[in-house]
Amino acid sequence: MEIKLLTPIDASAYWELRLEALQQSPEAFATSYEEAIQRTNPIEQVEKNLQTEGNYTLGAFQQGKLVGMVTLSQESYLKMKHRANIFAMYVSPQARGLGAGKALLIEAIDKAKSIEKIEKINLSVVSTNETAKNLYSQLGFKVFGIEEKALKVADTYYDEDHMVLSLK
C-alpha cells in the first residue's frame, strides 16, 4: 500500500473513486451521486482542487490503483487558520481491512503537524459508522458533539458525531 499526495495527474482516478464512494456510502457524504454526475467539467474541477493552497488530498494506492482517499483542508480565515478539517474519507470495499484508512489518516495528521499554524483537526462521521469512529478514536480524536439529523438520504436521517484531535 502506497500513500501519496494527489496531484492533477490523479484527477481522473480521484473522480472515479469519488463517484464510487457516493454510490457505496451515500450517508457518509453531503454531496449526492446525482449531484456529482451533473457537474460541468468535473475532472477540471478536481484538478483545480488538487492544486488549491491549504488543501491536501492523499491517496492510497494498491498495485497502482487508487483505492482510498482523504482530504485535509486548513481553514482560510485568519481567525480560523489554527484549524483543519478532514473531508472525503473513503476506502474502497476491496481494500478495507488492509490498513489503508489508518495509513491515510496518519499521513493527514502528520501533514497537519508539519504546518506550524494548525493546532487541531476536526471531522464529522455518521454516528452509526462504528468502524470509522473506532479508527478515529484510536488515533486520538474525541467526540465533542452530535448533530441529530445531519443528513437525509431518501427518507432516512443520519446523525453525525463531530470529533476533534488537538495537536498542541
Side-chain angles (χ1 to χ4, degrees):
M1 189 79 52
E2 178 191 6
I3 307 298
K4 71 171 194 158
L5 189 63
L6 299 184
T7 67
I9 294 167
D10 303 303
S12 292
Y14 175 91
W15 184 245
E16 184 180 316
L17 189 61
R18 175 73 175 167
L19 292 178
E20 176 188 309
L22 297 175
Q23 288 181 300
Q24 292 284 327
S25 304
E27 74 287 351
F29 302 95
T31 303
S32 71
Y33 175 79
E34 294 75 19
E35 290 169 315
I37 61 172
Q38 291 176 12
R39 290 192 176 152
T40 305
N41 301 320
I43 304 299
E44 288 176 19
Q45 288 180 20
V46 171
E47 288 172 349
K48 183 179 174 187
N49 291 344
L50 293 175
Q51 297 177 82
T52 301
E53 188 175 340
N55 280 352
Y56 309 94
T57 300
L58 300 159
F61 290 82
Q62 186 176 44
Q63 297 173 342
K65 180 175 171 30
L66 184 64
V67 295
M69 61 190 177
V70 67
T71 297
L72 174 76
S73 179
Q74 183 179 12
E75 293 282 357
S76 59
Y77 292 108
L78 185 61
K79 295 178 185 178
M80 297 168 64
K81 281 194 172 282
H82 68 288
R83 299 175 6 181
N85 299 286
I86 293 283
F87 292 113
M89 175 74 189
Y90 178 75
V91 175
S92 196
Q94 74 268 16
R96 291 181 187 159
L98 303 176
K102 187 173 187 177
L104 283 165
L105 283 169
I106 288 171
E107 193 70 27
I109 292 166
D110 287 347
K111 181 64 180 173
K113 287 178 178 177
S114 77
I115 300 168
E116 187 178 330
K117 290 186 185 215
I118 296 178
E119 298 176 22
K120 68 177 197 159
I121 305 171
N122 294 334
L123 63 79
S124 296
V125 59
V126 173
S127 298
T128 56
N129 189 342
E130 293 300 328
T131 303
K133 286 173 32 179
N134 287 338
L135 174 59
Y136 300 143
S137 294
Q138 284 176 22
L139 295 175
F141 285 87
K142 298 192 181 335
V143 174
F144 68 87
I146 299 171
E147 182 178 356
E148 294 179 359
K149 296 183 178 181
L151 295 173
K152 184 178 180 183
V153 180
D155 292 328
T156 304
Y157 290 99
Y158 294 91
D159 298 346
E160 284 186 339
D161 288 7
H162 298 290
M163 302 181 82
V164 64
L165 174 65
S166 294
L167 302 178
K168 298 180 181 181

PDB file of all heavy atoms in Angstrom, residues 59-87:
ATOM      1  N   GLY A  59      -3.907   9.917  -1.325  1.00  0.00           N
ATOM      2  CA  GLY A  59      -4.465   8.713  -1.908  1.00  0.00           C
ATOM      3  C   GLY A  59      -3.724   7.476  -1.447  1.00  0.00           C
ATOM      4  O   GLY A  59      -2.521   7.523  -1.199  1.00  0.00           O
ATOM      5  N   ALA A  60      -4.474   6.392  -1.321  1.00  0.00           N
ATOM      6  CA  ALA A  60      -3.889   5.080  -1.025  1.00  0.00           C
ATOM      7  C   ALA A  60      -3.931   4.278  -2.326  1.00  0.00           C
ATOM      8  O   ALA A  60      -5.002   4.128  -2.924  1.00  0.00           O
ATOM      9  CB  ALA A  60      -4.680   4.375   0.068  1.00  0.00           C
ATOM     10  N   PHE A  61      -2.774   3.791  -2.724  1.00  0.00           N
ATOM     11  CA  PHE A  61      -2.676   3.041  -3.967  1.00  0.00           C
ATOM     12  C   PHE A  61      -2.301   1.597  -3.661  1.00  0.00           C
ATOM     13  O   PHE A  61      -1.397   1.333  -2.874  1.00  0.00           O
ATOM     14  CB  PHE A  61      -1.614   3.654  -4.880  1.00  0.00           C
ATOM     15  CG  PHE A  61      -2.011   4.985  -5.446  1.00  0.00           C
ATOM     16  CD1 PHE A  61      -1.846   6.153  -4.698  1.00  0.00           C
ATOM     17  CD2 PHE A  61      -2.559   5.071  -6.714  1.00  0.00           C
ATOM     18  CE1 PHE A  61      -2.210   7.380  -5.219  1.00  0.00           C
ATOM     19  CE2 PHE A  61      -2.926   6.292  -7.240  1.00  0.00           C
ATOM     20  CZ  PHE A  61      -2.751   7.456  -6.492  1.00  0.00           C
ATOM     21  N   GLN A  62      -3.013   0.688  -4.300  1.00  0.00           N
ATOM     22  CA  GLN A  62      -2.728  -0.737  -4.185  1.00  0.00           C
ATOM     23  C   GLN A  62      -2.458  -1.240  -5.595  1.00  0.00           C
ATOM     24  O   GLN A  62      -3.344  -1.171  -6.456  1.00  0.00           O
ATOM     25  CB  GLN A  62      -3.915  -1.453  -3.555  1.00  0.00           C
ATOM     26  CG  GLN A  62      -3.675  -2.908  -3.260  1.00  0.00           C
ATOM     27  CD  GLN A  62      -4.872  -3.512  -2.550  1.00  0.00           C
ATOM     28  OE1 GLN A  62      -6.009  -3.285  -2.919  1.00  0.00           O
ATOM     29  NE2 GLN A  62      -4.596  -4.299  -1.523  1.00  0.00           N
ATOM     30  N   GLN A  63      -1.251  -1.688  -5.838  1.00  0.00           N
ATOM     31  CA  GLN A  63      -0.823  -2.140  -7.165  1.00  0.00           C
ATOM     32  C   GLN A  63      -1.128  -1.085  -8.231  1.00  0.00           C
ATOM     33  O   GLN A  63      -1.643  -1.391  -9.302  1.00  0.00           O
ATOM     34  CB  GLN A  63      -1.475  -3.477  -7.506  1.00  0.00           C
ATOM     35  CG  GLN A  63      -1.063  -4.586  -6.553  1.00  0.00           C
ATOM     36  CD  GLN A  63      -1.826  -5.880  -6.771  1.00  0.00           C
ATOM     37  OE1 GLN A  63      -2.891  -5.905  -7.389  1.00  0.00           O
ATOM     38  NE2 GLN A  63      -1.266  -6.959  -6.258  1.00  0.00           N
ATOM     39  N   GLY A  64      -0.841   0.185  -7.893  1.00  0.00           N
ATOM     40  CA  GLY A  64      -1.008   1.287  -8.828  1.00  0.00           C
ATOM     41  C   GLY A  64      -2.418   1.822  -8.975  1.00  0.00           C
ATOM     42  O   GLY A  64      -2.637   2.780  -9.718  1.00  0.00           O
ATOM     43  N   LYS A  65      -3.385   1.221  -8.293  1.00  0.00           N
ATOM     44  CA  LYS A  65      -4.782   1.662  -8.395  1.00  0.00           C
ATOM     45  C   LYS A  65      -5.179   2.437  -7.142  1.00  0.00           C
ATOM     46  O   LYS A  65      -4.921   1.992  -6.025  1.00  0.00           O
ATOM     47  CB  LYS A  65      -5.702   0.450  -8.579  1.00  0.00           C
ATOM     48  CG  LYS A  65      -7.177   0.806  -8.706  1.00  0.00           C
ATOM     49  CD  LYS A  65      -7.989  -0.443  -8.994  1.00  0.00           C
ATOM     50  CE  LYS A  65      -9.470  -0.316  -8.949  1.00  0.00           C
ATOM     51  NZ  LYS A  65     -10.144   0.866  -9.272  1.00  0.00           N
ATOM     52  N   LEU A  66      -5.820   3.591  -7.335  1.00  0.00           N
ATOM     53  CA  LEU A  66      -6.304   4.397  -6.215  1.00  0.00           C
ATOM     54  C   LEU A  66      -7.465   3.676  -5.539  1.00  0.00           C
ATOM     55  O   LEU A  66      -8.499   3.432  -6.160  1.00  0.00           O
ATOM     56  CB  LEU A  66      -6.741   5.779  -6.695  1.00  0.00           C
ATOM     57  CG  LEU A  66      -7.192   6.767  -5.617  1.00  0.00           C
ATOM     58  CD1 LEU A  66      -6.046   7.106  -4.672  1.00  0.00           C
ATOM     59  CD2 LEU A  66      -7.743   8.035  -6.267  1.00  0.00           C
ATOM     60  N   VAL A  67      -7.287   3.320  -4.259  1.00  0.00           N
ATOM     61  CA  VAL A  67      -8.314   2.565  -3.530  1.00  0.00           C
ATOM     62  C   VAL A  67      -8.792   3.280  -2.271  1.00  0.00           C
ATOM     63  O   VAL A  67      -9.720   2.822  -1.611  1.00  0.00           O
ATOM     64  CB  VAL A  67      -7.817   1.146  -3.149  1.00  0.00           C
ATOM     65  CG1 VAL A  67      -7.562   0.309  -4.403  1.00  0.00           C
ATOM     66  CG2 VAL A  67      -6.586   1.204  -2.253  1.00  0.00           C
ATOM     67  N   GLY A  68      -8.173   4.418  -1.947  1.00  0.00           N
ATOM     68  CA  GLY A  68      -8.589   5.168  -0.772  1.00  0.00           C
ATOM     69  C   GLY A  68      -8.168   6.611  -0.892  1.00  0.00           C
ATOM     70  O   GLY A  68      -7.244   6.941  -1.647  1.00  0.00           O
ATOM     71  N   MET A  69      -8.882   7.478  -0.151  1.00  0.00           N
ATOM     72  CA  MET A  69      -8.580   8.910  -0.225  1.00  0.00           C
ATOM     73  C   MET A  69      -9.032   9.607   1.042  1.00  0.00           C
ATOM     74  O   MET A  69      -9.922   9.130   1.753  1.00  0.00           O
ATOM     75  CB  MET A  69      -9.280   9.534  -1.422  1.00  0.00           C
ATOM     76  CG  MET A  69     -10.799   9.420  -1.357  1.00  0.00           C
ATOM     77  SD  MET A  69     -11.539   9.912  -2.912  1.00  0.00           S
ATOM     78  CE  MET A  69     -13.265   9.592  -2.544  1.00  0.00           C
ATOM     79  N   VAL A  70      -8.398  10.739   1.293  1.00  0.00           N
ATOM     80  CA  VAL A  70      -8.801  11.622   2.381  1.00  0.00           C
ATOM     81  C   VAL A  70      -8.275  13.011   2.056  1.00  0.00           C
ATOM     82  O   VAL A  70      -7.207  13.151   1.450  1.00  0.00           O
ATOM     83  CB  VAL A  70      -8.282  11.143   3.760  1.00  0.00           C
ATOM     84  CG1 VAL A  70      -6.769  11.228   3.860  1.00  0.00           C
ATOM     85  CG2 VAL A  70      -8.941  11.919   4.890  1.00  0.00           C
ATOM     86  N   THR A  71      -9.032  14.032   2.443  1.00  0.00           N
ATOM     87  CA  THR A  71      -8.602  15.413   2.232  1.00  0.00           C
ATOM     88  C   THR A  71      -8.453  16.108   3.576  1.00  0.00           C
ATOM     89  O   THR A  71      -9.340  16.020   4.430  1.00  0.00           O
ATOM     90  CB  THR A  71      -9.607  16.180   1.346  1.00  0.00           C
ATOM     91  OG1 THR A  71      -9.637  15.559   0.058  1.00  0.00           O
ATOM     92  CG2 THR A  71      -9.220  17.644   1.191  1.00  0.00           C
ATOM     93  N   LEU A  72      -7.336  16.783   3.744  1.00  0.00           N
ATOM     94  CA  LEU A  72      -7.075  17.654   4.886  1.00  0.00           C
ATOM     95  C   LEU A  72      -7.137  19.076   4.345  1.00  0.00           C
ATOM     96  O   LEU A  72      -6.455  19.401   3.376  1.00  0.00           O
ATOM     97  CB  LEU A  72      -5.685  17.387   5.471  1.00  0.00           C
ATOM     98  CG  LEU A  72      -5.244  18.334   6.583  1.00  0.00           C
ATOM     99  CD1 LEU A  72      -5.952  17.983   7.888  1.00  0.00           C
ATOM    100  CD2 LEU A  72      -3.739  18.286   6.766  1.00  0.00           C
ATOM    101  N   SER A  73      -7.982  19.903   4.971  1.00  0.00           N
ATOM    102  CA  SER A  73      -8.154  21.264   4.489  1.00  0.00           C
ATOM    103  C   SER A  73      -7.994  22.248   5.638  1.00  0.00           C
ATOM    104  O   SER A  73      -8.743  22.193   6.614  1.00  0.00           O
ATOM    105  CB  SER A  73      -9.548  21.407   3.863  1.00  0.00           C
ATOM    106  OG  SER A  73      -9.754  22.718   3.405  1.00  0.00           O
ATOM    107  N   GLN A  74      -7.000  23.127   5.506  1.00  0.00           N
ATOM    108  CA  GLN A  74      -6.795  24.157   6.521  1.00  0.00           C
ATOM    109  C   GLN A  74      -7.803  25.273   6.300  1.00  0.00           C
ATOM    110  O   GLN A  74      -8.073  25.671   5.165  1.00  0.00           O
ATOM    111  CB  GLN A  74      -5.372  24.716   6.445  1.00  0.00           C
ATOM    112  CG  GLN A  74      -5.074  25.733   7.527  1.00  0.00           C
ATOM    113  CD  GLN A  74      -3.646  26.271   7.478  1.00  0.00           C
ATOM    114  OE1 GLN A  74      -2.941  26.062   6.506  1.00  0.00           O
ATOM    115  NE2 GLN A  74      -3.242  26.947   8.527  1.00  0.00           N
ATOM    116  N   GLU A  75      -8.373  25.771   7.378  1.00  0.00           N
ATOM    117  CA  GLU A  75      -9.295  26.904   7.292  1.00  0.00           C
ATOM    118  C   GLU A  75      -8.564  28.105   6.702  1.00  0.00           C
ATOM    119  O   GLU A  75      -7.369  28.301   6.949  1.00  0.00           O
ATOM    120  CB  GLU A  75      -9.849  27.259   8.675  1.00  0.00           C
ATOM    121  CG  GLU A  75     -10.743  26.190   9.270  1.00  0.00           C
ATOM    122  CD  GLU A  75     -12.146  26.167   8.704  1.00  0.00           C
ATOM    123  OE1 GLU A  75     -12.492  27.027   7.859  1.00  0.00           O
ATOM    124  OE2 GLU A  75     -12.915  25.267   9.106  1.00  0.00           O
ATOM    125  N   SER A  76      -9.263  28.939   5.938  1.00  0.00           N
ATOM    126  CA  SER A  76      -8.618  30.054   5.265  1.00  0.00           C
ATOM    127  C   SER A  76      -8.758  31.391   5.998  1.00  0.00           C
ATOM    128  O   SER A  76      -7.936  32.270   5.813  1.00  0.00           O
ATOM    129  CB  SER A  76      -9.156  30.193   3.841  1.00  0.00           C
ATOM    130  OG  SER A  76     -10.553  30.405   3.869  1.00  0.00           O
ATOM    131  N   TYR A  77      -9.789  31.525   6.833  1.00  0.00           N
ATOM    132  CA  TYR A  77      -9.955  32.787   7.555  1.00  0.00           C
ATOM    133  C   TYR A  77      -8.871  32.950   8.611  1.00  0.00           C
ATOM    134  O   TYR A  77      -8.516  31.991   9.297  1.00  0.00           O
ATOM    135  CB  TYR A  77     -11.332  32.863   8.221  1.00  0.00           C
ATOM    136  CG  TYR A  77     -12.465  32.974   7.232  1.00  0.00           C
ATOM    137  CD1 TYR A  77     -13.317  31.905   7.006  1.00  0.00           C
ATOM    138  CD2 TYR A  77     -12.667  34.155   6.522  1.00  0.00           C
ATOM    139  CE1 TYR A  77     -14.354  32.006   6.094  1.00  0.00           C
ATOM    140  CE2 TYR A  77     -13.706  34.264   5.600  1.00  0.00           C
ATOM    141  CZ  TYR A  77     -14.544  33.187   5.392  1.00  0.00           C
ATOM    142  OH  TYR A  77     -15.563  33.286   4.488  1.00  0.00           O
ATOM    143  N   LEU A  78      -8.352  34.161   8.742  1.00  0.00           N
ATOM    144  CA  LEU A  78      -7.254  34.451   9.645  1.00  0.00           C
ATOM    145  C   LEU A  78      -7.512  33.925  11.056  1.00  0.00           C
ATOM    146  O   LEU A  78      -6.640  33.316  11.675  1.00  0.00           O
ATOM    147  CB  LEU A  78      -6.991  35.965   9.680  1.00  0.00           C
ATOM    148  CG  LEU A  78      -5.793  36.419  10.501  1.00  0.00           C
ATOM    149  CD1 LEU A  78      -4.500  35.829   9.944  1.00  0.00           C
ATOM    150  CD2 LEU A  78      -5.709  37.938  10.523  1.00  0.00           C
ATOM    151  N   LYS A  79      -8.720  34.129  11.565  1.00  0.00           N
ATOM    152  CA  LYS A  79      -9.053  33.724  12.934  1.00  0.00           C
ATOM    153  C   LYS A  79      -9.253  32.219  13.080  1.00  0.00           C
ATOM    154  O   LYS A  79      -9.417  31.729  14.197  1.00  0.00           O
ATOM    155  CB  LYS A  79     -10.317  34.446  13.411  1.00  0.00           C
ATOM    156  CG  LYS A  79     -10.164  35.942  13.526  1.00  0.00           C
ATOM    157  CD  LYS A  79     -11.480  36.566  13.955  1.00  0.00           C
ATOM    158  CE  LYS A  79     -11.417  38.076  13.964  1.00  0.00           C
ATOM    159  NZ  LYS A  79     -12.729  38.660  14.342  1.00  0.00           N
ATOM    160  N   MET A  80      -9.262  31.505  11.959  1.00  0.00           N
ATOM    161  CA  MET A  80      -9.518  30.061  11.998  1.00  0.00           C
ATOM    162  C   MET A  80      -8.382  29.230  11.415  1.00  0.00           C
ATOM    163  O   MET A  80      -8.502  28.018  11.298  1.00  0.00           O
ATOM    164  CB  MET A  80     -10.829  29.762  11.263  1.00  0.00           C
ATOM    165  CG  MET A  80     -12.035  30.408  11.938  1.00  0.00           C
ATOM    166  SD  MET A  80     -13.547  30.371  10.955  1.00  0.00           S
ATOM    167  CE  MET A  80     -13.874  28.642  10.820  1.00  0.00           C
ATOM    168  N   LYS A  81      -7.267  29.877  11.061  1.00  0.00           N
ATOM    169  CA  LYS A  81      -6.152  29.156  10.435  1.00  0.00           C
ATOM    170  C   LYS A  81      -5.520  28.114  11.355  1.00  0.00           C
ATOM    171  O   LYS A  81      -4.748  27.281  10.891  1.00  0.00           O
ATOM    172  CB  LYS A  81      -5.089  30.135   9.946  1.00  0.00           C
ATOM    173  CG  LYS A  81      -5.446  30.802   8.640  1.00  0.00           C
ATOM    174  CD  LYS A  81      -4.231  31.474   8.044  1.00  0.00           C
ATOM    175  CE  LYS A  81      -4.480  31.990   6.667  1.00  0.00           C
ATOM    176  NZ  LYS A  81      -4.463  30.981   5.635  1.00  0.00           N
ATOM    177  N   HIS A  82      -5.863  28.139  12.635  1.00  0.00           N
ATOM    178  CA  HIS A  82      -5.340  27.136  13.572  1.00  0.00           C
ATOM    179  C   HIS A  82      -6.124  25.826  13.465  1.00  0.00           C
ATOM    180  O   HIS A  82      -5.794  24.851  14.119  1.00  0.00           O
ATOM    181  CB  HIS A  82      -5.404  27.672  15.018  1.00  0.00           C
ATOM    182  CG  HIS A  82      -6.783  27.847  15.547  1.00  0.00           C
ATOM    183  ND1 HIS A  82      -7.629  28.845  15.111  1.00  0.00           N
ATOM    184  CD2 HIS A  82      -7.469  27.137  16.469  1.00  0.00           C
ATOM    185  CE1 HIS A  82      -8.783  28.746  15.744  1.00  0.00           C
ATOM    186  NE2 HIS A  82      -8.721  27.716  16.568  1.00  0.00           N
ATOM    187  N   ARG A  83      -7.151  25.799  12.598  1.00  0.00           N
ATOM    188  CA  ARG A  83      -7.998  24.617  12.434  1.00  0.00           C
ATOM    189  C   ARG A  83      -7.835  24.013  11.046  1.00  0.00           C
ATOM    190  O   ARG A  83      -7.644  24.713  10.065  1.00  0.00           O
ATOM    191  CB  ARG A  83      -9.477  24.991  12.614  1.00  0.00           C
ATOM    192  CG  ARG A  83      -9.787  25.530  13.950  1.00  0.00           C
ATOM    193  CD  ARG A  83     -11.184  26.020  14.185  1.00  0.00           C
ATOM    194  NE  ARG A  83     -12.159  25.824  13.144  1.00  0.00           N
ATOM    195  CZ  ARG A  83     -13.418  26.243  13.249  1.00  0.00           C
ATOM    196  NH1 ARG A  83     -13.828  26.874  14.326  1.00  0.00           N
ATOM    197  NH2 ARG A  83     -14.282  26.036  12.274  1.00  0.00           N
ATOM    198  N   ALA A  84      -7.944  22.701  10.999  1.00  0.00           N
ATOM    199  CA  ALA A  84      -8.014  21.986   9.724  1.00  0.00           C
ATOM    200  C   ALA A  84      -9.163  20.992   9.838  1.00  0.00           C
ATOM    201  O   ALA A  84      -9.609  20.658  10.941  1.00  0.00           O
ATOM    202  CB  ALA A  84      -6.707  21.263   9.427  1.00  0.00           C
ATOM    203  N   ASN A  85      -9.641  20.538   8.696  1.00  0.00           N
ATOM    204  CA  ASN A  85     -10.750  19.589   8.655  1.00  0.00           C
ATOM    205  C   ASN A  85     -10.383  18.399   7.798  1.00  0.00           C
ATOM    206  O   ASN A  85      -9.691  18.542   6.789  1.00  0.00           O
ATOM    207  CB  ASN A  85     -11.996  20.264   8.065  1.00  0.00           C
ATOM    208  CG  ASN A  85     -12.448  21.435   8.899  1.00  0.00           C
ATOM    209  OD1 ASN A  85     -13.001  21.267   9.975  1.00  0.00           O
ATOM    210  ND2 ASN A  85     -12.195  22.650   8.420  1.00  0.00           N
ATOM    211  N   ILE A  86     -10.880  17.253   8.214  1.00  0.00           N
ATOM    212  CA  ILE A  86     -10.770  16.031   7.421  1.00  0.00           C
ATOM    213  C   ILE A  86     -12.088  15.890   6.659  1.00  0.00           C
ATOM    214  O   ILE A  86     -13.162  15.945   7.259  1.00  0.00           O
ATOM    215  CB  ILE A  86     -10.558  14.786   8.317  1.00  0.00           C
ATOM    216  CG1 ILE A  86      -9.203  14.846   9.018  1.00  0.00           C
ATOM    217  CG2 ILE A  86     -10.767  13.491   7.538  1.00  0.00           C
ATOM    218  CD1 ILE A  86      -8.014  14.507   8.162  1.00  0.00           C
ATOM    219  N   PHE A  87     -11.977  15.717   5.337  1.00  0.00           N
ATOM    220  CA  PHE A  87     -13.145  15.546   4.467  1.00  0.00           C
ATOM    221  C   PHE A  87     -12.934  14.342   3.550  1.00  0.00           C
ATOM    222  O   PHE A  87     -11.810  13.918   3.318  1.00  0.00           O
ATOM    223  CB  PHE A  87     -13.323  16.768   3.544  1.00  0.00           C
ATOM    224  CG  PHE A  87     -13.718  18.028   4.231  1.00  0.00           C
ATOM    225  CD1 PHE A  87     -12.839  19.094   4.286  1.00  0.00           C
ATOM    226  CD2 PHE A  87     -14.965  18.171   4.801  1.00  0.00           C
ATOM    227  CE1 PHE A  87     -13.191  20.283   4.897  1.00  0.00           C
ATOM    228  CE2 PHE A  87     -15.329  19.352   5.418  1.00  0.00           C
ATOM    229  CZ  PHE A  87     -14.450  20.414   5.464  1.00  0.00           C
TER     230      PHE A  87
END
